[in-house]
Amino acid sequence: MKQTLLVKHAVSGRMLIDSGKQDVSFSSKPEGNGWQIDIGVPWSGTIEEILKHKDELNVFIFYDYDDQPTLKTWYYVGKGLVAYDRDSQLLTIGAQSRIEYYPHEYSV
């Protein structure tokens, strides 16, 4: 299985992080009443943009399988925690809700 992480600015739709094009590590797990996504990424102007627009982020994780359709998980950040630790180079994003779906079920 291959996983791809996307972090997008929800208002403009601008791509901020794409693990398919950038060398980043990531994980997601349930946390409290939501989910926590940890992304290992060095400090950059993009991280500044993410922190600036922290209430306007959408996070997507695509799970690509060899033997079944791609599963997409959409995390809505809203007022969730968005923080960056420069020492560990870790971006933490807390999502309030998520939706899992198969994109092929919604295409015409």
Side-chain angles (χ1 to χ4, degrees):
M1 173 189 48
K2 177 186 171 198
Q3 296 181 35
T4 304
L5 168 88
L6 306 176
V7 178
K8 295 180 84 172
H9 181 227
V11 175
S12 70
R14 195 176 75 180
M15 185 71 62
L16 299 166
I17 295 177
D18 179 346
S19 72
K21 297 179 180 176
Q22 300 165 263
D23 186 21
V24 299
S25 61
F26 64 92
S27 64
S28 64
K29 64 181 179 183
E31 184 67 36
N33 292 329
W35 291 266
Q36 179 175 317
I37 300 107
D38 292 319
I39 307 166
V41 59
W43 178 259
S44 68
T46 298
I47 301 302
E48 286 184 73
E49 286 293 309
I50 288 171
L51 295 174
K52 179 180 175 183
H53 299 291
K54 64 183 183 176
D55 295 337
E56 302 171 358
L57 299 176
N58 286 319
V59 177
F60 301 91
I61 299 178
F62 292 81
Y63 300 89
D64 293 311
Y65 301 93
D66 291 331
D67 59 346
Q68 62 189 37
T70 297
L71 175 64
K72 184 176 182 178
T73 305
W74 171 21
Y75 296 89
Y76 175 70
V77 178
K79 300 291 182 191
L81 167 75
V82 178
Y84 186 78
D85 183 309
R86 285 184 188 234
D87 292 335
S88 63
Q89 295 190 341
L90 187 68
L91 174 64
T92 300
I93 299 176
Q96 297 175 330
S97 62
R98 77 173 186 172
I99 299 170
E100 288 187 330
Y101 64 97
Y102 293 97
H104 76 278
E105 293 177 352
Y106 296 93
S107 59
V108 179

mmCIF file of all heavy atoms in Angstrom, residues 1-43:
data_model
loop_
_atom_site.group_PDB
_atom_site.id
_atom_site.type_symbol
_atom_site.label_atom_id
_atom_site.label_comp_id
_atom_site.label_asym_id
_atom_site.label_seq_id
_atom_site.Cartn_x
_atom_site.Cartn_y
_atom_site.Cartn_z
ATOM 1 N N MET A 1 0.839 -1.179 0.000
ATOM 2 C CA MET A 1 0.000 0.000 0.000
ATOM 3 C C MET A 1 0.884 1.243 0.000
ATOM 4 O O MET A 1 1.868 1.324 0.714
ATOM 5 C CB MET A 1 -0.893 0.004 1.234
ATOM 6 C CG MET A 1 -1.664 1.298 1.356
ATOM 7 S SD MET A 1 -2.573 1.585 2.872
ATOM 8 C CE MET A 1 -1.444 1.200 4.148
ATOM 9 N N LYS A 2 0.494 2.203 -0.787
ATOM 10 C CA LYS A 2 1.177 3.493 -0.848
ATOM 11 C C LYS A 2 0.271 4.542 -0.233
ATOM 12 O O LYS A 2 -0.938 4.552 -0.466
ATOM 13 C CB LYS A 2 1.475 3.857 -2.303
ATOM 14 C CG LYS A 2 2.122 5.210 -2.464
ATOM 15 C CD LYS A 2 2.261 5.591 -3.931
ATOM 16 C CE LYS A 2 2.702 7.029 -4.046
ATOM 17 N NZ LYS A 2 2.464 7.579 -5.360
ATOM 18 N N GLN A 3 0.837 5.443 0.574
ATOM 19 C CA GLN A 3 0.087 6.532 1.178
ATOM 20 C C GLN A 3 0.622 7.868 0.669
ATOM 21 O O GLN A 3 1.833 8.036 0.558
ATOM 22 C CB GLN A 3 0.216 6.504 2.695
ATOM 23 C CG GLN A 3 -0.364 5.286 3.354
ATOM 24 C CD GLN A 3 -0.220 5.352 4.859
ATOM 25 O OE1 GLN A 3 -0.309 6.404 5.459
ATOM 26 N NE2 GLN A 3 0.028 4.205 5.464
ATOM 27 N N THR A 4 -0.288 8.788 0.394
ATOM 28 C CA THR A 4 0.089 10.133 -0.023
ATOM 29 C C THR A 4 -0.655 11.132 0.851
ATOM 30 O O THR A 4 -1.868 11.019 1.025
ATOM 31 C CB THR A 4 -0.273 10.382 -1.498
ATOM 32 O OG1 THR A 4 0.356 9.382 -2.308
ATOM 33 C CG2 THR A 4 0.170 11.763 -1.952
ATOM 34 N N LEU A 5 0.079 12.100 1.374
ATOM 35 C CA LEU A 5 -0.483 13.159 2.213
ATOM 36 C C LEU A 5 -0.516 14.462 1.437
ATOM 37 O O LEU A 5 0.462 14.822 0.766
ATOM 38 C CB LEU A 5 0.392 13.353 3.454
ATOM 39 C CG LEU A 5 0.095 14.605 4.275
ATOM 40 C CD1 LEU A 5 -0.982 14.303 5.301
ATOM 41 C CD2 LEU A 5 1.342 15.109 4.953
ATOM 42 N N LEU A 6 -1.642 15.160 1.511
ATOM 43 C CA LEU A 6 -1.779 16.494 0.926
ATOM 44 C C LEU A 6 -2.271 17.436 2.011
ATOM 45 O O LEU A 6 -3.199 17.104 2.747
ATOM 46 C CB LEU A 6 -2.795 16.500 -0.218
ATOM 47 C CG LEU A 6 -2.602 15.509 -1.357
ATOM 48 C CD1 LEU A 6 -3.763 15.618 -2.335
ATOM 49 C CD2 LEU A 6 -1.283 15.745 -2.056
ATOM 50 N N VAL A 7 -1.661 18.625 2.106
ATOM 51 C CA VAL A 7 -2.159 19.692 2.967
ATOM 52 C C VAL A 7 -2.474 20.854 2.039
ATOM 53 O O VAL A 7 -1.605 21.315 1.301
ATOM 54 C CB VAL A 7 -1.120 20.116 4.038
ATOM 55 C CG1 VAL A 7 -1.657 21.274 4.876
ATOM 56 C CG2 VAL A 7 -0.739 18.931 4.927
ATOM 57 N N LYS A 8 -3.748 21.294 2.094
ATOM 58 C CA LYS A 8 -4.186 22.344 1.183
ATOM 59 C C LYS A 8 -4.790 23.506 1.959
ATOM 60 O O LYS A 8 -5.398 23.310 3.005
ATOM 61 C CB LYS A 8 -5.246 21.795 0.216
ATOM 62 C CG LYS A 8 -4.704 20.718 -0.710
ATOM 63 C CD LYS A 8 -5.773 20.213 -1.626
ATOM 64 C CE LYS A 8 -5.857 21.140 -2.812
ATOM 65 N NZ LYS A 8 -6.756 20.635 -3.864
ATOM 66 N N HIS A 9 -4.614 24.699 1.395
ATOM 67 C CA HIS A 9 -5.307 25.874 1.915
ATOM 68 C C HIS A 9 -6.725 25.784 1.384
ATOM 69 O O HIS A 9 -6.943 25.838 0.169
ATOM 70 C CB HIS A 9 -4.607 27.148 1.451
ATOM 71 C CG HIS A 9 -5.247 28.391 1.959
ATOM 72 N ND1 HIS A 9 -5.516 29.464 1.146
ATOM 73 C CD2 HIS A 9 -5.690 28.735 3.188
ATOM 74 C CE1 HIS A 9 -6.081 30.426 1.858
ATOM 75 N NE2 HIS A 9 -6.216 30.003 3.102
ATOM 76 N N ALA A 10 -7.681 25.635 2.287
ATOM 77 C CA ALA A 10 -9.058 25.358 1.884
ATOM 78 C C ALA A 10 -9.693 26.488 1.084
ATOM 79 O O ALA A 10 -10.494 26.241 0.191
ATOM 80 C CB ALA A 10 -9.908 25.056 3.118
ATOM 81 N N VAL A 11 -9.365 27.716 1.403
ATOM 82 C CA VAL A 11 -9.998 28.855 0.734
ATOM 83 C C VAL A 11 -9.514 28.989 -0.711
ATOM 84 O O VAL A 11 -10.303 29.107 -1.639
ATOM 85 C CB VAL A 11 -9.755 30.154 1.533
ATOM 86 C CG1 VAL A 11 -10.309 31.352 0.789
ATOM 87 C CG2 VAL A 11 -10.378 30.045 2.922
ATOM 88 N N SER A 12 -8.206 28.949 -0.910
ATOM 89 C CA SER A 12 -7.661 29.131 -2.259
ATOM 90 C C SER A 12 -7.478 27.814 -3.003
ATOM 91 O O SER A 12 -7.323 27.806 -4.214
ATOM 92 C CB SER A 12 -6.312 29.848 -2.188
ATOM 93 O OG SER A 12 -5.323 28.998 -1.617
ATOM 94 N N GLY A 13 -7.472 26.700 -2.262
ATOM 95 C CA GLY A 13 -7.218 25.410 -2.874
ATOM 96 C C GLY A 13 -5.746 25.172 -3.166
ATOM 97 O O GLY A 13 -5.382 24.177 -3.783
ATOM 98 N N ARG A 14 -4.886 26.093 -2.712
ATOM 99 C CA ARG A 14 -3.452 25.986 -2.986
ATOM 100 C C ARG A 14 -2.833 24.808 -2.226
ATOM 101 O O ARG A 14 -3.099 24.596 -1.052
ATOM 102 C CB ARG A 14 -2.765 27.281 -2.579
ATOM 103 C CG ARG A 14 -1.366 27.402 -3.161
ATOM 104 C CD ARG A 14 -0.772 28.717 -2.822
ATOM 105 N NE ARG A 14 -0.407 28.618 -1.405
ATOM 106 C CZ ARG A 14 0.149 29.562 -0.705
ATOM 107 N NH1 ARG A 14 0.357 30.725 -1.238
ATOM 108 N NH2 ARG A 14 0.473 29.394 0.538
ATOM 109 N N MET A 15 -2.017 24.042 -2.930
ATOM 110 C CA MET A 15 -1.317 22.913 -2.338
ATOM 111 C C MET A 15 -0.139 23.437 -1.517
ATOM 112 O O MET A 15 0.683 24.198 -2.015
ATOM 113 C CB MET A 15 -0.798 21.979 -3.437
ATOM 114 C CG MET A 15 -0.160 20.733 -2.910
ATOM 115 S SD MET A 15 -1.337 19.596 -2.191
ATOM 116 C CE MET A 15 -2.354 19.221 -3.606
ATOM 117 N N LEU A 16 -0.061 23.014 -0.262
ATOM 118 C CA LEU A 16 1.021 23.443 0.619
ATOM 119 C C LEU A 16 2.030 22.326 0.856
ATOM 120 O O LEU A 16 3.229 22.573 0.879
ATOM 121 C CB LEU A 16 0.442 23.947 1.943
ATOM 122 C CG LEU A 16 -0.494 25.158 1.791
ATOM 123 C CD1 LEU A 16 -1.284 25.398 3.062
ATOM 124 C CD2 LEU A 16 0.300 26.391 1.405
ATOM 125 N N ILE A 17 1.542 21.113 1.058
ATOM 126 C CA ILE A 17 2.423 19.956 1.198
ATOM 127 C C ILE A 17 1.848 18.821 0.367
ATOM 128 O O ILE A 17 0.649 18.549 0.425
ATOM 129 C CB ILE A 17 2.556 19.513 2.673
ATOM 130 C CG1 ILE A 17 3.241 20.594 3.507
ATOM 131 C CG2 ILE A 17 3.326 18.192 2.780
ATOM 132 C CD1 ILE A 17 3.334 20.265 4.994
ATOM 133 N N ASP A 18 2.713 18.142 -0.378
ATOM 134 C CA ASP A 18 2.336 16.978 -1.171
ATOM 135 C C ASP A 18 3.446 15.944 -0.998
ATOM 136 O O ASP A 18 4.537 16.102 -1.549
ATOM 137 C CB ASP A 18 2.180 17.369 -2.639
ATOM 138 C CG ASP A 18 1.815 16.208 -3.548
ATOM 139 O OD1 ASP A 18 1.922 15.040 -3.127
ATOM 140 O OD2 ASP A 18 1.427 16.480 -4.695
ATOM 141 N N SER A 19 3.168 14.893 -0.222
ATOM 142 C CA SER A 19 4.211 13.895 0.051
ATOM 143 C C SER A 19 4.598 13.110 -1.197
ATOM 144 O O SER A 19 5.630 12.450 -1.208
ATOM 145 C CB SER A 19 3.773 12.938 1.158
ATOM 146 O OG SER A 19 2.758 12.055 0.695
ATOM 147 N N GLY A 20 3.796 13.197 -2.244
ATOM 148 C CA GLY A 20 4.165 12.569 -3.505
ATOM 149 C C GLY A 20 5.256 13.324 -4.238
ATOM 150 O O GLY A 20 5.943 12.776 -5.087
ATOM 151 N N LYS A 21 5.431 14.604 -3.880
ATOM 152 C CA LYS A 21 6.432 15.447 -4.534
ATOM 153 C C LYS A 21 7.502 15.941 -3.570
ATOM 154 O O LYS A 21 8.489 16.529 -4.003
ATOM 155 C CB LYS A 21 5.752 16.650 -5.184
ATOM 156 C CG LYS A 21 4.794 16.253 -6.283
ATOM 157 C CD LYS A 21 4.115 17.452 -6.883
ATOM 158 C CE LYS A 21 3.156 17.011 -7.978
ATOM 159 N NZ LYS A 21 2.407 18.125 -8.522
ATOM 160 N N GLN A 22 7.279 15.767 -2.275
ATOM 161 C CA GLN A 22 8.227 16.219 -1.261
ATOM 162 C C GLN A 22 8.598 15.041 -0.372
ATOM 163 O O GLN A 22 7.785 14.147 -0.149
ATOM 164 C CB GLN A 22 7.593 17.310 -0.380
ATOM 165 C CG GLN A 22 7.163 18.546 -1.131
ATOM 166 C CD GLN A 22 6.225 19.392 -0.285
ATOM 167 O OE1 GLN A 22 5.021 19.311 -0.418
ATOM 168 N NE2 GLN A 22 6.799 20.193 0.591
ATOM 169 N N ASP A 23 9.796 15.067 0.148
ATOM 170 C CA ASP A 23 10.259 14.010 1.043
ATOM 171 C C ASP A 23 9.851 14.356 2.470
ATOM 172 O O ASP A 23 10.570 15.069 3.173
ATOM 173 C CB ASP A 23 11.784 13.850 0.930
ATOM 174 C CG ASP A 23 12.292 12.673 1.732
ATOM 175 O OD1 ASP A 23 11.491 11.764 2.034
ATOM 176 O OD2 ASP A 23 13.491 12.665 2.066
ATOM 177 N N VAL A 24 8.654 13.910 2.868
ATOM 178 C CA VAL A 24 8.150 14.138 4.217
ATOM 179 C C VAL A 24 7.656 12.815 4.787
ATOM 180 O O VAL A 24 7.185 11.951 4.049
ATOM 181 C CB VAL A 24 7.008 15.183 4.262
ATOM 182 C CG1 VAL A 24 7.478 16.527 3.746
ATOM 183 C CG2 VAL A 24 5.796 14.725 3.493
ATOM 184 N N SER A 25 7.774 12.680 6.093
ATOM 185 C CA SER A 25 7.189 11.533 6.779
ATOM 186 C C SER A 25 5.914 12.015 7.459
ATOM 187 O O SER A 25 5.782 13.196 7.783
ATOM 188 C CB SER A 25 8.172 10.966 7.796
ATOM 189 O OG SER A 25 8.481 11.944 8.777
ATOM 190 N N PHE A 26 4.972 11.110 7.667
ATOM 191 C CA PHE A 26 3.730 11.515 8.320
ATOM 192 C C PHE A 26 3.041 10.321 8.957
ATOM 193 O O PHE A 26 3.281 9.169 8.595
ATOM 194 C CB PHE A 26 2.787 12.212 7.331
ATOM 195 C CG PHE A 26 2.309 11.342 6.201
ATOM 196 C CD1 PHE A 26 1.129 10.633 6.308
ATOM 197 C CD2 PHE A 26 3.040 11.247 5.031
ATOM 198 C CE1 PHE A 26 0.691 9.838 5.263
ATOM 199 C CE2 PHE A 26 2.613 10.467 3.980
ATOM 200 C CZ PHE A 26 1.427 9.755 4.098
ATOM 201 N N SER A 27 2.190 10.641 9.921
ATOM 202 C CA SER A 27 1.346 9.631 10.559
ATOM 203 C C SER A 27 0.064 10.307 11.010
ATOM 204 O O SER A 27 0.018 11.524 11.198
ATOM 205 C CB SER A 27 2.066 8.989 11.747
ATOM 206 O OG SER A 27 2.307 9.954 12.759
ATOM 207 N N SER A 28 -0.975 9.513 11.181
ATOM 208 C CA SER A 28 -2.241 10.030 11.700
ATOM 209 C C SER A 28 -2.762 9.053 12.746
ATOM 210 O O SER A 28 -2.544 7.841 12.638
ATOM 211 C CB SER A 28 -3.269 10.222 10.588
ATOM 212 O OG SER A 28 -3.603 8.973 10.009
ATOM 213 N N LYS A 29 -3.438 9.615 13.758
ATOM 214 C CA LYS A 29 -3.980 8.765 14.817
ATOM 215 C C LYS A 29 -5.142 9.486 15.480
ATOM 216 O O LYS A 29 -5.204 10.724 15.486
ATOM 217 C CB LYS A 29 -2.909 8.435 15.852
ATOM 218 C CG LYS A 29 -2.396 9.651 16.609
ATOM 219 C CD LYS A 29 -1.315 9.296 17.609
ATOM 220 C CE LYS A 29 -0.827 10.556 18.314
ATOM 221 N NZ LYS A 29 0.254 10.304 19.225
ATOM 222 N N PRO A 30 -6.084 8.715 16.054
ATOM 223 C CA PRO A 30 -7.156 9.346 16.830
ATOM 224 C C PRO A 30 -6.549 10.060 18.039
ATOM 225 O O PRO A 30 -5.583 9.574 18.639
ATOM 226 C CB PRO A 30 -8.019 8.168 17.287
ATOM 227 C CG PRO A 30 -7.655 7.036 16.397
ATOM 228 C CD PRO A 30 -6.229 7.270 15.988
ATOM 229 N N GLU A 31 -7.098 11.224 18.359
ATOM 230 C CA GLU A 31 -6.611 12.011 19.504
ATOM 231 C C GLU A 31 -7.784 12.770 20.093
ATOM 232 O O GLU A 31 -8.350 13.644 19.421
ATOM 233 C CB GLU A 31 -5.505 12.960 19.063
ATOM 234 C CG GLU A 31 -4.870 13.752 20.173
ATOM 235 C CD GLU A 31 -4.075 12.895 21.144
ATOM 236 O OE1 GLU A 31 -3.437 11.922 20.708
ATOM 237 O OE2 GLU A 31 -4.105 13.193 22.344
ATOM 238 N N GLY A 32 -8.156 12.453 21.336
ATOM 239 C CA GLY A 32 -9.292 13.121 21.961
ATOM 240 C C GLY A 32 -10.549 12.907 21.149
ATOM 241 O O GLY A 32 -10.894 11.780 20.795
ATOM 242 N N ASN A 33 -11.225 13.993 20.790
ATOM 243 C CA ASN A 33 -12.446 13.924 19.983
ATOM 244 C C ASN A 33 -12.169 14.103 18.497
ATOM 245 O O ASN A 33 -13.093 14.368 17.730
ATOM 246 C CB ASN A 33 -13.450 14.999 20.446
ATOM 247 C CG ASN A 33 -13.994 14.705 21.815
ATOM 248 O OD1 ASN A 33 -14.132 13.554 22.208
ATOM 249 N ND2 ASN A 33 -14.285 15.749 22.564
ATOM 250 N N GLY A 34 -10.917 13.991 18.087
ATOM 251 C CA GLY A 34 -10.573 14.192 16.685
ATOM 252 C C GLY A 34 -9.411 13.317 16.279
ATOM 253 O O GLY A 34 -9.277 12.184 16.722
ATOM 254 N N TRP A 35 -8.529 13.884 15.452
ATOM 255 C CA TRP A 35 -7.377 13.163 14.921
ATOM 256 C C TRP A 35 -6.163 14.064 14.948
ATOM 257 O O TRP A 35 -6.278 15.285 14.837
ATOM 258 C CB TRP A 35 -7.652 12.714 13.478
ATOM 259 C CG TRP A 35 -8.682 11.652 13.450
ATOM 260 C CD1 TRP A 35 -8.471 10.305 13.451
ATOM 261 C CD2 TRP A 35 -10.087 11.834 13.459
ATOM 262 N NE1 TRP A 35 -9.677 9.651 13.461
ATOM 263 C CE2 TRP A 35 -10.687 10.571 13.473
ATOM 264 C CE3 TRP A 35 -10.923 12.949 13.481
ATOM 265 C CZ2 TRP A 35 -12.057 10.378 13.484
ATOM 266 C CZ3 TRP A 35 -12.302 12.765 13.498
ATOM 267 C CH2 TRP A 35 -12.841 11.486 13.503
ATOM 268 N N GLN A 36 -5.014 13.453 15.064
ATOM 269 C CA GLN A 36 -3.750 14.188 15.034
ATOM 270 C C GLN A 36 -2.920 13.682 13.871
ATOM 271 O O GLN A 36 -2.709 12.481 13.723
ATOM 272 C CB GLN A 36 -2.986 13.997 16.342
ATOM 273 C CG GLN A 36 -1.651 14.717 16.356
ATOM 274 C CD GLN A 36 -0.965 14.606 17.703
ATOM 275 O OE1 GLN A 36 -1.592 14.748 18.736
ATOM 276 N NE2 GLN A 36 0.331 14.345 17.675
ATOM 277 N N ILE A 37 -2.447 14.607 13.064
ATOM 278 C CA ILE A 37 -1.568 14.286 11.945
ATOM 279 C C ILE A 37 -0.213 14.916 12.247
ATOM 280 O O ILE A 37 -0.127 16.118 12.483
ATOM 281 C CB ILE A 37 -2.125 14.829 10.607
ATOM 282 C CG1 ILE A 37 -3.500 14.206 10.319
ATOM 283 C CG2 ILE A 37 -1.181 14.523 9.459
ATOM 284 C CD1 ILE A 37 -4.622 15.140 10.498
ATOM 285 N N ASP A 38 0.835 14.110 12.278
ATOM 286 C CA ASP A 38 2.198 14.577 12.504
ATOM 287 C C ASP A 38 2.965 14.468 11.200
ATOM 288 O O ASP A 38 2.941 13.408 10.557
ATOM 289 C CB ASP A 38 2.891 13.748 13.589
ATOM 290 C CG ASP A 38 2.288 13.969 14.964
ATOM 291 O OD1 ASP A 38 1.978 15.129 15.289
ATOM 292 O OD2 ASP A 38 2.141 12.986 15.709
ATOM 293 N N ILE A 39 3.631 15.562 10.833
ATOM 294 C CA ILE A 39 4.351 15.608 9.560
ATOM 295 C C ILE A 39 5.784 16.044 9.837
ATOM 296 O O ILE A 39 6.014 17.124 10.369
ATOM 297 C CB ILE A 39 3.679 16.596 8.587
ATOM 298 C CG1 ILE A 39 2.191 16.280 8.434
ATOM 299 C CG2 ILE A 39 4.397 16.583 7.236
ATOM 300 C CD1 ILE A 39 1.388 17.375 7.773
ATOM 301 N N GLY A 40 6.721 15.212 9.469
ATOM 302 C CA GLY A 40 8.142 15.550 9.595
ATOM 303 C C GLY A 40 8.567 16.335 8.376
ATOM 304 O O GLY A 40 8.652 15.790 7.271
ATOM 305 N N VAL A 41 8.808 17.642 8.596
ATOM 306 C CA VAL A 41 9.132 18.524 7.470
ATOM 307 C C VAL A 41 9.999 19.676 7.989
ATOM 308 O O VAL A 41 9.736 20.215 9.055
ATOM 309 C CB VAL A 41 7.834 19.039 6.802
ATOM 310 C CG1 VAL A 41 6.964 19.808 7.765
ATOM 311 C CG2 VAL A 41 8.108 19.854 5.564
ATOM 312 N N PRO A 42 11.056 20.039 7.271
ATOM 313 C CA PRO A 42 11.899 21.152 7.724
ATOM 314 C C PRO A 42 11.174 22.493 7.631
ATOM 315 O O PRO A 42 10.253 22.671 6.840
ATOM 316 C CB PRO A 42 13.105 21.119 6.782
ATOM 317 C CG PRO A 42 12.720 20.273 5.636
ATOM 318 C CD PRO A 42 11.559 19.431 6.045
ATOM 319 N N TRP A 43 11.616 23.433 8.459
ATOM 320 C CA TRP A 43 11.056 24.785 8.464
ATOM 321 C C TRP A 43 11.239 25.431 7.095
ATOM 322 O O TRP A 43 12.282 25.283 6.449
ATOM 323 C CB TRP A 43 11.737 25.639 9.528
ATOM 324 C CG TRP A 43 11.214 27.046 9.525
ATOM 325 C CD1 TRP A 43 11.812 28.127 8.974
ATOM 326 C CD2 TRP A 43 9.977 27.500 10.063
ATOM 327 N NE1 TRP A 43 11.018 29.244 9.134
ATOM 328 C CE2 TRP A 43 9.875 28.883 9.803
ATOM 329 C CE3 TRP A 43 8.922 26.882 10.726
ATOM 330 C CZ2 TRP A 43 8.787 29.656 10.203
ATOM 331 C CZ3 TRP A 43 7.841 27.649 11.116
ATOM 332 C CH2 TRP A 43 7.783 29.020 10.858
#
